[in-house]
Amino acid sequence: MTKMPHFIDWAITKECNLQCTHCTGMMDTELNTDKAMQVIDEIADLNPGWVIVEGGEPLLRKDLFPILYKMQDKAL
């Protein structure tokens, strides 16, 4: 039997208004919109119990709402 993740914690951006020490280890680049949409399909295939979208500050990502709408369509 294949085990699926109970939850996924997706650090969608490192952009932030603050400079907290615990965020200094994040990648310098973020996925472009097309790649983020592909990742959503991959996450949906895993059928997690829930997904956390975090960052940095996710609201600073210009394409956040299209990403969230796709996640909603996939029932994530």
Side-chain angles (χ1 to χ4, degrees), residues 14-32:
K14 80 173 239 171
E15 295 301 317
C16 187
N17 299 325
L18 304 173
Q19 297 297 320
C20 300
T21 304
H22 65 271
C23 286
T24 58
M26 293 183 65
M27 293 177 50
D28 288 333
T29 59
E30 62 187 37
L31 301 177
N32 65 36

Side-chain angles (χ1 to χ4, degrees), residues 39-60:
V39 168
I40 293 167
D41 291 331
E42 294 172 14
I43 291 172
D45 289 342
L46 294 173
N47 194 28
W50 48 291
V51 180
I52 299 171
V53 176
E54 58 143 349
E57 175 50 68
L59 290 172
L60 293 177

Side-chain angles (χ1 to χ4, degrees), residues 12-13 30-37 40 58-70:
I12 200 165
T13 186
E30 62 187 37
L31 301 177
N32 65 36
T33 303
D34 291 336
K35 185 61 179 172
M37 297 298 187
I40 293 167
L59 290 172
L60 293 177
R61 190 172 166 132
K62 293 180 179 163
D63 59 354
L64 177 65
F65 289 101
I67 289 169
L68 294 177
Y69 292 142
K70 182 168 182 174

